[in-house]
Amino acid sequence: MLRNYFKIALRNLWKHKTNTFINLLGLTVAFTICLLLLLSVYFEFSFDKFHQQPEDLYRTYFKVQQPEKPILQSSMPEPMLKALKEQFPAVQYGTRYNRNGCEIVYNGKHFFNELAFGDPDFFTMFNFPLEKGNAPQALEGRNNIVLTRATANAIFGNENPIGKQLQVQSGGPWKAFIVSAVAAEIPTTSSIRFDAVVPFEHGFTYPATVGKWDATNHDIILRLKHGTDVKAFEKAVQGLINLQYKDYIGDLKRDGAVAAPNGQYMELLMQPYLNMHTDSSMRGAGETISRSYLYMLLSVAVFVMFIACINFINLSVGRSFTRTREVGLRKTLGALPFQVGLQFWGEAAIICALALLISIPVFYVVLPYYKAVFGSSLETGVLNQPVIIASIIGSFLLVTLLAGGYPALVMTRMDAVNILKGKLRLKTSGGLRNGLIIGQFAIAILLIGCTLVAWNQLNFLRARPLGYNSSQVVSIPVGQEVNGREALELLRQKLNAEPSVLSVTGLSKNMGVGIDGGSYTFSLGFDYKNRNISMEWLNVGYDFTQTMDLAMASGRDFSRNFSTDSSGIVINEQMARKMGVKDPVGEILQIEELNLPMKVIGVVKDFNFQSLHRPVEPMGLVMYKEMPINYLLVKVRPDNLPVIMGKLKTHWAQIAPRSEFRGSFLDENINRQYNREERFTQIFVYAAVVAIVLSCLGLFALAVLAIMQRTREIGIRKALGASTVSIVQLITKDFVKLIVIAMIIATPLAWYFMSIWLKDFAFSVQIQWWWLLAAGLIALAVALCTIGYQSLKAAFANPVKSLKTE
Amino acid sequence: MIQLRNISKHYPVGFGKHEILKEVNLVIHEGEFVSIMGPSGSGKSTLLHILGLLEEPSDGEYLFQGELVHKMNDKKRTQLHRGAIGFVFQAYHLIDELTVYENIETPLLYKNMPSSERKSRVADILDRFNMVAKKDLFPNQLSGGQQQLVGIARAIVAEPTVIFADEPTGNLHSDQAKSIMELFAELNKKDGITIVQVTHSDLNAGYGNKVIEIMDGRVK
């Protein structure tokens, strides 16, 4: 019996090659895309699960009711961990965590690595197994350093590293460390990543922050005792917060902050460590990926699968009229309805199984491109996990049930006699079919619409003037090897005689995102005229405004002629507005935190020193000794840029011989800033193309079927004198109607979703109605091309022939 | 074997009803070869469908092998279709995707017959109908007469007690029709299969031993 079904199924697939091809192609594409996207989503959600009892790990964060809006902050003050551990028995283990680049020297060889700063509990509370050494003591000694296996192998080769001495510097002086342990490789799904770990006290800002509750610069991760009620714990901690931040909470109340529903102005809350990777609301330990992005990937996967299933259903049901006779006959031969149903489901299962089998090698072929385009760190190993295999089989059965089950149901419900009598005018279940086509095209139009909006926004971001010269300025990351200030002086001297270099300066942060990917922000709040104002500080070198082509609104720039400029500040217009003074030049800003009076010496015109996600915020340029110079900026003549780049490279090699030259033009950095948006747009482009192609494939096959069913009608109409145009109209009219309905459904949805997305940006395009209309028209045009050929063929066919065959 | 008592069949049309069969009383005994005759639209096909359990009468009682048909459940009817009843259609109704051999085999598959027995049965039938050489051909590679031969082979392979044939020679020319009718007569005489056919032709009716004439839904 099964063999009989199987045979019929295979012969049917072979006989209707177009349909088989379309179904197979659609399902293969859908399965491949689903595999890629679902595995990526699974991968991202599996972050940090390798720790033992990971549900007991939490990261602490502040929720502060600032007057404008509540803010979340994971950055913690130095005394916090100690206070939590001493006062609350629920805290079993805890560590502070920070990370920085470092340079390691051993036997005269230099290595550049990522250095983590942690507390002694670090290796006890996390599951980073040690290959050599023991966990509780690994960070106990003040000058201990723990290396990962890869780092240890790179530095020591075959030597036993335990007990060896290394020289390490990370933003401060060189220090000697003794290797106490070697850790196994860190799983790729770990938020915490490092090449080496040293005790937290070695952080270069540590001495300045000891005992201070208002200076924050690291994350705290706690392991609470198993079974701790987190809500109760957070409540218990509230007393400590209210005590330590009494003054700050007072300031908040004075500035008009509104208390949270529970009456608090500032809370210390616990974020489950497992959620950290997929929560992009806070910066801090580890890279994050926004959950909405993952949900978007999921919905794209579901959309694509849905479209492929619709094709399958429509084609199976549409073709069922040619198979009604077979079904009716089988019933008279004694087939039970479930046997007929099983047969049709089986045919769906065969196609799906084929598609799945093809999609797995395709998955492996496509994976590297996918990883490159979407910046995914997905690994093929994910595919071997039992959970994944089980869910692949599960979704496979679900898809065959959806795609094969409905047609099977239609078939089994048919009345045998009427079929055999030839009375049954199967209407190819019009309502459902039309609904499914509308659904397909609505998705396609939605995706095309989103693509157009995202693409316009991206162009807008890139083309918008930022208020400074980005095309002529090269930014060079200083790196770990040399001190920024010294490097700036050296470079200035070297480039002095270079005619193609216009000016040289330094800056604490990069503009945009450089090749090094690094970022640095320094913002602080202080009281001015009994109001708390927060601003960002950019630490600059001389000639900053000149290098960046910034214009002064009033006052003056930093100058070598004034020895007092180290306590001077150049503010932007936004800051001047915030201060609410007519002429801010000469005003004194009392920065209590740093014990500094800063004198405003000038006002610079607003420029976008951050990405266009944010409006221009209050900002000050300073030449403050305690802040680093992390990037050197060189303004060059616009001609012959590659040659200049080469010269900069050779000069840099003399200044920092062991470091790589990673300079890049600011406009490249600015583009890099919008990588996320670019990826977002790319996903839409790919999804839209797949959606429209698959939908049109289905439409094509349906048009062929519709024409086949109406051959006689078309023949009669032609014999009665219908024109070619009217025949084409007759066929296309129905489909066009459906696509127009899809447009009406999809356009407001696209508008709605994209306005939400655009809210992310302080500067965004206005969605134009004709972009969305264009999306619909594109879909319509593609669809018309698809069915146009078939209908023309039908219209030109000789009516006598079609009438004869009936 | 077959007994109809006051069988009526009507369809609702608008507010009234369209009567197709009116109070048909009929007895068919085992081993008979019955021809149902009448003009187009007289209700003979409907009668055949009711006899073959493909349609239900609106009124009246139908006893098949002494059992009341309207009391049977779907399973019992399916059982009868698998065993006791065979069909032959005017349009042959072979499954296009299956070969001659597989078409004949299908009813046996639904009977869950073991493979070896199936093989010998199908082989016997092929032999008897002189179609061994054609067993691997598909229906569209055969002439109409040959297709109908396969149709009959399929109808008798499960060894039914009765065959219902709806104008079995309607699509065939006279030579082919003659051989098909001779085959029916032979099946009736040699194998003792009851045969009920619908036909227009007096010539065909002549092969049978009883004629039921039907006119405007009534048996004359």
Side-chain angles (χ1 to χ4, degrees), chain B residues 199-218:
Chain B
T199 183
H200 280 299
S201 122
D202 290 329
L203 199 64
N204 286 353
Y207 286 91
N209 42 30
K210 185 172 172 183
V211 172
I212 297 170
E213 283 224 47
I214 196 162
M215 184 75 111
D216 289 337
R218 287 182 197 278

PDB file of all heavy atoms in Angstrom, chain B residues 199-218:
ATOM      1  N   THR B 199     -27.774   0.600 -19.916  1.00  0.00           N
ATOM      2  CA  THR B 199     -27.432   0.662 -21.335  1.00  0.00           C
ATOM      3  C   THR B 199     -28.552   1.284 -22.143  1.00  0.00           C
ATOM      4  O   THR B 199     -29.716   1.341 -21.736  1.00  0.00           O
ATOM      5  CB  THR B 199     -27.096  -0.743 -21.883  1.00  0.00           C
ATOM      6  OG1 THR B 199     -26.699  -0.642 -23.248  1.00  0.00           O
ATOM      7  CG2 THR B 199     -28.290  -1.677 -21.783  1.00  0.00           C
ATOM      8  N   HIS B 200     -28.167   1.811 -23.284  1.00  0.00           N
ATOM      9  CA  HIS B 200     -29.136   2.367 -24.225  1.00  0.00           C
ATOM     10  C   HIS B 200     -29.498   1.345 -25.285  1.00  0.00           C
ATOM     11  O   HIS B 200     -30.492   1.485 -25.986  1.00  0.00           O
ATOM     12  CB  HIS B 200     -28.514   3.557 -24.971  1.00  0.00           C
ATOM     13  CG  HIS B 200     -28.520   4.809 -24.184  1.00  0.00           C
ATOM     14  ND1 HIS B 200     -29.679   5.396 -23.755  1.00  0.00           N
ATOM     15  CD2 HIS B 200     -27.512   5.607 -23.747  1.00  0.00           C
ATOM     16  CE1 HIS B 200     -29.378   6.503 -23.088  1.00  0.00           C
ATOM     17  NE2 HIS B 200     -28.069   6.644 -23.075  1.00  0.00           N
ATOM     18  N   SER B 201     -28.613   0.359 -25.417  1.00  0.00           N
ATOM     19  CA  SER B 201     -28.707  -0.434 -26.640  1.00  0.00           C
ATOM     20  C   SER B 201     -29.440  -1.749 -26.414  1.00  0.00           C
ATOM     21  O   SER B 201     -29.154  -2.489 -25.464  1.00  0.00           O
ATOM     22  CB  SER B 201     -27.281  -0.668 -27.175  1.00  0.00           C
ATOM     23  OG  SER B 201     -27.004  -2.022 -27.287  1.00  0.00           O
ATOM     24  N   ASP B 202     -30.401  -2.029 -27.270  1.00  0.00           N
ATOM     25  CA  ASP B 202     -31.149  -3.292 -27.183  1.00  0.00           C
ATOM     26  C   ASP B 202     -30.232  -4.475 -27.411  1.00  0.00           C
ATOM     27  O   ASP B 202     -30.383  -5.532 -26.813  1.00  0.00           O
ATOM     28  CB  ASP B 202     -32.263  -3.319 -28.234  1.00  0.00           C
ATOM     29  CG  ASP B 202     -33.360  -2.334 -27.875  1.00  0.00           C
ATOM     30  OD1 ASP B 202     -33.563  -2.127 -26.654  1.00  0.00           O
ATOM     31  OD2 ASP B 202     -33.968  -1.729 -28.788  1.00  0.00           O
ATOM     32  N   LEU B 203     -29.230  -4.233 -28.295  1.00  0.00           N
ATOM     33  CA  LEU B 203     -28.275  -5.286 -28.593  1.00  0.00           C
ATOM     34  C   LEU B 203     -27.565  -5.734 -27.322  1.00  0.00           C
ATOM     35  O   LEU B 203     -27.476  -6.920 -27.005  1.00  0.00           O
ATOM     36  CB  LEU B 203     -27.251  -4.736 -29.590  1.00  0.00           C
ATOM     37  CG  LEU B 203     -26.450  -5.776 -30.367  1.00  0.00           C
ATOM     38  CD1 LEU B 203     -27.360  -6.595 -31.268  1.00  0.00           C
ATOM     39  CD2 LEU B 203     -25.353  -5.084 -31.160  1.00  0.00           C
ATOM     40  N   ASN B 204     -27.098  -4.730 -26.541  1.00  0.00           N
ATOM     41  CA  ASN B 204     -26.400  -5.049 -25.294  1.00  0.00           C
ATOM     42  C   ASN B 204     -27.338  -5.719 -24.298  1.00  0.00           C
ATOM     43  O   ASN B 204     -26.941  -6.644 -23.591  1.00  0.00           O
ATOM     44  CB  ASN B 204     -25.821  -3.781 -24.666  1.00  0.00           C
ATOM     45  CG  ASN B 204     -24.604  -3.295 -25.428  1.00  0.00           C
ATOM     46  OD1 ASN B 204     -24.144  -3.990 -26.343  1.00  0.00           O
ATOM     47  ND2 ASN B 204     -24.122  -2.125 -25.082  1.00  0.00           N
ATOM     48  N   ALA B 205     -28.574  -5.197 -24.260  1.00  0.00           N
ATOM     49  CA  ALA B 205     -29.533  -5.750 -23.311  1.00  0.00           C
ATOM     50  C   ALA B 205     -29.796  -7.223 -23.617  1.00  0.00           C
ATOM     51  O   ALA B 205     -30.077  -8.013 -22.720  1.00  0.00           O
ATOM     52  CB  ALA B 205     -30.833  -4.970 -23.344  1.00  0.00           C
ATOM     53  N   GLY B 206     -29.621  -7.578 -24.872  1.00  0.00           N
ATOM     54  CA  GLY B 206     -29.848  -8.943 -25.290  1.00  0.00           C
ATOM     55  C   GLY B 206     -28.910  -9.940 -24.638  1.00  0.00           C
ATOM     56  O   GLY B 206     -29.224 -11.122 -24.538  1.00  0.00           O
ATOM     57  N   TYR B 207     -27.742  -9.485 -24.182  1.00  0.00           N
ATOM     58  CA  TYR B 207     -26.818 -10.406 -23.513  1.00  0.00           C
ATOM     59  C   TYR B 207     -27.339 -10.803 -22.142  1.00  0.00           C
ATOM     60  O   TYR B 207     -26.957 -11.816 -21.585  1.00  0.00           O
ATOM     61  CB  TYR B 207     -25.430  -9.762 -23.363  1.00  0.00           C
ATOM     62  CG  TYR B 207     -24.666  -9.682 -24.652  1.00  0.00           C
ATOM     63  CD1 TYR B 207     -24.758  -8.569 -25.477  1.00  0.00           C
ATOM     64  CD2 TYR B 207     -23.849 -10.748 -25.059  1.00  0.00           C
ATOM     65  CE1 TYR B 207     -24.068  -8.491 -26.672  1.00  0.00           C
ATOM     66  CE2 TYR B 207     -23.153 -10.683 -26.242  1.00  0.00           C
ATOM     67  CZ  TYR B 207     -23.259  -9.546 -27.048  1.00  0.00           C
ATOM     68  OH  TYR B 207     -22.565  -9.484 -28.216  1.00  0.00           O
ATOM     69  N   GLY B 208     -28.207  -9.973 -21.554  1.00  0.00           N
ATOM     70  CA  GLY B 208     -28.693 -10.243 -20.207  1.00  0.00           C
ATOM     71  C   GLY B 208     -29.933 -11.101 -20.224  1.00  0.00           C
ATOM     72  O   GLY B 208     -30.458 -11.461 -21.279  1.00  0.00           O
ATOM     73  N   ASN B 209     -30.407 -11.467 -19.014  1.00  0.00           N
ATOM     74  CA  ASN B 209     -31.602 -12.284 -18.969  1.00  0.00           C
ATOM     75  C   ASN B 209     -32.779 -11.543 -18.357  1.00  0.00           C
ATOM     76  O   ASN B 209     -33.808 -12.112 -18.070  1.00  0.00           O
ATOM     77  CB  ASN B 209     -31.345 -13.590 -18.221  1.00  0.00           C
ATOM     78  CG  ASN B 209     -30.507 -13.352 -16.965  1.00  0.00           C
ATOM     79  OD1 ASN B 209     -30.602 -12.276 -16.375  1.00  0.00           O
ATOM     80  ND2 ASN B 209     -29.708 -14.333 -16.591  1.00  0.00           N
ATOM     81  N   LYS B 210     -32.629 -10.236 -18.080  1.00  0.00           N
ATOM     82  CA  LYS B 210     -33.736  -9.490 -17.510  1.00  0.00           C
ATOM     83  C   LYS B 210     -33.554  -8.040 -17.886  1.00  0.00           C
ATOM     84  O   LYS B 210     -32.422  -7.521 -17.878  1.00  0.00           O
ATOM     85  CB  LYS B 210     -33.709  -9.644 -15.997  1.00  0.00           C
ATOM     86  CG  LYS B 210     -34.871  -9.009 -15.267  1.00  0.00           C
ATOM     87  CD  LYS B 210     -34.786  -9.422 -13.793  1.00  0.00           C
ATOM     88  CE  LYS B 210     -35.797  -8.688 -12.956  1.00  0.00           C
ATOM     89  NZ  LYS B 210     -35.637  -9.062 -11.533  1.00  0.00           N
ATOM     90  N   VAL B 211     -34.605  -7.343 -18.242  1.00  0.00           N
ATOM     91  CA  VAL B 211     -34.526  -5.927 -18.586  1.00  0.00           C
ATOM     92  C   VAL B 211     -35.459  -5.158 -17.681  1.00  0.00           C
ATOM     93  O   VAL B 211     -36.609  -5.543 -17.478  1.00  0.00           O
ATOM     94  CB  VAL B 211     -34.919  -5.699 -20.067  1.00  0.00           C
ATOM     95  CG1 VAL B 211     -35.014  -4.190 -20.348  1.00  0.00           C
ATOM     96  CG2 VAL B 211     -33.900  -6.355 -20.994  1.00  0.00           C
ATOM     97  N   ILE B 212     -34.921  -4.107 -17.067  1.00  0.00           N
ATOM     98  CA  ILE B 212     -35.769  -3.218 -16.279  1.00  0.00           C
ATOM     99  C   ILE B 212     -35.886  -1.930 -17.056  1.00  0.00           C
ATOM    100  O   ILE B 212     -34.888  -1.266 -17.312  1.00  0.00           O
ATOM    101  CB  ILE B 212     -35.145  -2.953 -14.894  1.00  0.00           C
ATOM    102  CG1 ILE B 212     -35.053  -4.267 -14.108  1.00  0.00           C
ATOM    103  CG2 ILE B 212     -35.964  -1.920 -14.138  1.00  0.00           C
ATOM    104  CD1 ILE B 212     -34.247  -4.137 -12.836  1.00  0.00           C
ATOM    105  N   GLU B 213     -37.102  -1.610 -17.472  1.00  0.00           N
ATOM    106  CA  GLU B 213     -37.276  -0.374 -18.233  1.00  0.00           C
ATOM    107  C   GLU B 213     -37.714   0.716 -17.282  1.00  0.00           C
ATOM    108  O   GLU B 213     -38.590   0.518 -16.450  1.00  0.00           O
ATOM    109  CB  GLU B 213     -38.313  -0.580 -19.328  1.00  0.00           C
ATOM    110  CG  GLU B 213     -37.732  -1.356 -20.485  1.00  0.00           C
ATOM    111  CD  GLU B 213     -38.125  -0.775 -21.823  1.00  0.00           C
ATOM    112  OE1 GLU B 213     -38.006   0.465 -21.979  1.00  0.00           O
ATOM    113  OE2 GLU B 213     -38.568  -1.549 -22.673  1.00  0.00           O
ATOM    114  N   ILE B 214     -37.101   1.853 -17.432  1.00  0.00           N
ATOM    115  CA  ILE B 214     -37.398   2.947 -16.509  1.00  0.00           C
ATOM    116  C   ILE B 214     -37.785   4.175 -17.325  1.00  0.00           C
ATOM    117  O   ILE B 214     -37.214   4.446 -18.375  1.00  0.00           O
ATOM    118  CB  ILE B 214     -36.200   3.204 -15.582  1.00  0.00           C
ATOM    119  CG1 ILE B 214     -36.584   4.047 -14.377  1.00  0.00           C
ATOM    120  CG2 ILE B 214     -35.035   3.777 -16.296  1.00  0.00           C
ATOM    121  CD1 ILE B 214     -35.575   3.949 -13.268  1.00  0.00           C
ATOM    122  N   MET B 215     -38.805   4.857 -16.857  1.00  0.00           N
ATOM    123  CA  MET B 215     -39.328   6.012 -17.596  1.00  0.00           C
ATOM    124  C   MET B 215     -39.814   7.028 -16.580  1.00  0.00           C
ATOM    125  O   MET B 215     -40.618   6.688 -15.710  1.00  0.00           O
ATOM    126  CB  MET B 215     -40.493   5.531 -18.477  1.00  0.00           C
ATOM    127  CG  MET B 215     -41.068   6.606 -19.378  1.00  0.00           C
ATOM    128  SD  MET B 215     -39.970   6.924 -20.756  1.00  0.00           S
ATOM    129  CE  MET B 215     -40.959   6.254 -22.083  1.00  0.00           C
ATOM    130  N   ASP B 216     -39.242   8.244 -16.647  1.00  0.00           N
ATOM    131  CA  ASP B 216     -39.642   9.298 -15.722  1.00  0.00           C
ATOM    132  C   ASP B 216     -39.581   8.837 -14.266  1.00  0.00           C
ATOM    133  O   ASP B 216     -40.460   9.127 -13.453  1.00  0.00           O
ATOM    134  CB  ASP B 216     -41.049   9.802 -16.023  1.00  0.00           C
ATOM    135  CG  ASP B 216     -41.073  10.597 -17.310  1.00  0.00           C
ATOM    136  OD1 ASP B 216     -39.984  11.100 -17.680  1.00  0.00           O
ATOM    137  OD2 ASP B 216     -42.130  10.668 -17.941  1.00  0.00           O
ATOM    138  N   GLY B 217     -38.574   8.091 -13.947  1.00  0.00           N
ATOM    139  CA  GLY B 217     -38.357   7.710 -12.558  1.00  0.00           C
ATOM    140  C   GLY B 217     -39.181   6.522 -12.100  1.00  0.00           C
ATOM    141  O   GLY B 217     -39.098   6.130 -10.940  1.00  0.00           O
ATOM    142  N   ARG B 218     -39.965   5.964 -12.987  1.00  0.00           N
ATOM    143  CA  ARG B 218     -40.766   4.802 -12.567  1.00  0.00           C
ATOM    144  C   ARG B 218     -40.363   3.579 -13.370  1.00  0.00           C
ATOM    145  O   ARG B 218     -40.060   3.671 -14.560  1.00  0.00           O
ATOM    146  CB  ARG B 218     -42.244   5.067 -12.801  1.00  0.00           C
ATOM    147  CG  ARG B 218     -42.845   6.052 -11.830  1.00  0.00           C
ATOM    148  CD  ARG B 218     -44.324   6.198 -12.112  1.00  0.00           C
ATOM    149  NE  ARG B 218     -44.834   7.405 -11.490  1.00  0.00           N
ATOM    150  CZ  ARG B 218     -45.183   7.471 -10.200  1.00  0.00           C
ATOM    151  NH1 ARG B 218     -45.084   6.406  -9.447  1.00  0.00           N
ATOM    152  NH2 ARG B 218     -45.627   8.589  -9.691  1.00  0.00           N
TER     153      ARG B 218
END
